[in-house]
C-alpha cells in the first residue's frame, strides 16, 4: 500500500482514537468510519483486483457498522453487530477463492477452539436477550478467522489482521458485558483499525499469489 495513503490512514485513525478521550461531537460517526472508507477507496482503485467487489462490500459494511454503533439509535448495537457480521461473511467470501485447508494445523485450531469456549462461557450468562445475536456473531467471525488462516498466502498481514479483529471484538465484548476496561476505546479502536488495515493489505497481497486447490 502506498506510503502516503498509509500515513493518511493512520493519521485519521489516530485522530479518532484521540477524540474518544475528549467530549463527543455530532459528526464523530463519520470521523470513526473515515479510515475504513479510505480503505474502500484503495481497494476500488485496484482495478485488476480479482473479486474486489466482495472485499469492497466487506469494507463498506464495516464502515456502516462503525457509524451505526456510534449513532444514538435505539437498536444501534444490534444494527452495528449485524453490519459487522455481514462484513465477516463478505471477507470470507472473498477469501474462499484462495482457500488451502492444508495450511490449517491442529494446534492453531485447538487454540482457537479453546478461545471460543472461554469467550462464550464468560459472555453468554451476561448478555441476556442478546444471546442468539452474540452466538451468531461469533460463528461468522470464526468463519472469517479460519478463512484467513487457510488462505494460500506466504504473507502474515492477513492472519495478523484476522487475529487483531478477534482481539478488538473480545475487548469490546468484555468491556460491554463483563467488566469495564481502562482506556477501552483506545484498546478497542487501535486494534480494530490495525485489523482492518492488515486484512485489506493481506487481501491485496493475496491476489498476487497462487490460489489454493
Amino acid at each position: 500500500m502506498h506510503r502516503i495513503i498509509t500515513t493518511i490512514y493512520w493519521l485519521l485513525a489516530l485522530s479518532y482514537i484521540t477524540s474518544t478521550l475528549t467530549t463527543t461531537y455530532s459528526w464523530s460517526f463519520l470521523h470513526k468510519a473515515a479510515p475504513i472508507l479510505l480503505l474502500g477507496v484503495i481497494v476500488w482503485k485496484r482495478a485488476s483486483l480479482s473479486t474486489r467487489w466482495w472485499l469492497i462490500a466487506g469494507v463498506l459494511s464495516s464502515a456502516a457498522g462503525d457509524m451505526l454503533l456510534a449513532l444514538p439509535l435505539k437498536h444501534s448495537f444490534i444494527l452495528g453487530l449485524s453490519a459487522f457480521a455481514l462484513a465477516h461473511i463478505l471477507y470470507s467470501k472473498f477469501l474462499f477463492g484462495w482457500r488451502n485447508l492444508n495450511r490449517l494445523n491442529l494446534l492453531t485450531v485447538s487454540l482457537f477452539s479453546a478461545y471460543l469456549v472461554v469467550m462464550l462461557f464468560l459472555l453468554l450468562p451476561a448478555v441476556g436477550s442478546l444471546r442468539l445475536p452474540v452466538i451468531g456473531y461469533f460463528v461468522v467471525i470464526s468463519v472469517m478467522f479460519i478463512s484467513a488462516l487457510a488462505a494460500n498466502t506466504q504473507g502474515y498481514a492477513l492472519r495478523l489482521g484476522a487475529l487483531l479483529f478477534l482481539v478488538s471484538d473480545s475487548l469490546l465484548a468484555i468491556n460491554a458485558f463483563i467488566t469495564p476496561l481502562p482506556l477501552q476505546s483506545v484498546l478497542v479502536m487501535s486494534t480494530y483499525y490495525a485489523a482492518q488495515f492488515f486484512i485489506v493489505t493481506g487481501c491485496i497481497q493475496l491476489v498476487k499469489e497462487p490460489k489454493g486447490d
Side-chain angles (χ1 to χ4, degrees), residues 9 11 14-15 17 34 36 45 51-52 54 66 84 92 95 105 110 153 158 163 206:
Y9 176 85
L11 286 175
L14 180 60
S15 65
I17 293 169
I36 309 305
K45 286 185 171 293
T51 60
R52 68 187 184 279
W54 295 111
D66 285 327
F84 277 113
S92 300
L95 294 170
N105 61 70
S110 298
T153 176
L158 180 58
L163 178 61
L206 191 62

Side-chain angles (χ1 to χ4, degrees), residues 20-138:
T20 64
L21 301 175
T22 61
T23 306
T24 57
Y25 45 98
S26 59
W27 52 277
S28 63
F29 68 100
L30 289 176
H31 192 181
K32 183 181 184 182
I36 309 305
L37 291 172
L38 179 60
L39 291 180
V41 173
I42 292 168
V43 177
W44 170 263
K45 286 185 171 293
R46 303 284 298 197
S48 63
L49 190 62
S50 302
T51 60
R52 68 187 184 279
W53 293 109
W54 295 111
L55 185 55
I56 290 173
V59 171
L60 293 180
S61 186
S62 295
D66 285 327
M67 289 188 280
L68 289 168
L69 287 176
L71 287 169
L73 302 175
K74 183 177 180 181
H75 300 293
S76 62
F77 182 80
I78 290 296
L79 292 172
L81 193 71
S82 299
F84 277 113
L86 177 59
H88 291 310
I89 293 171
L90 293 166
Y91 285 153
S92 300
K93 175 61 178 177
F94 176 86
L95 294 170
F96 184 78
W98 285 270
R99 70 194 182 281
N100 182 356
L101 297 181
N102 291 327
R103 297 190 65 85
L104 298 175
N105 61 70
L106 181 60
L107 176 60
T108 302
V109 173
S110 298
L111 289 174
F112 178 64
S113 299
Y115 154 81
L116 279 180
V117 170
V118 171
M119 283 300 298
L120 291 175
F121 177 80
L122 293 173
L123 285 175
L124 291 184
V127 298
S129 61
L130 296 176
R131 178 171 294 188
L132 287 179
V134 168
I135 292 175
Y137 184 80
F138 270 93

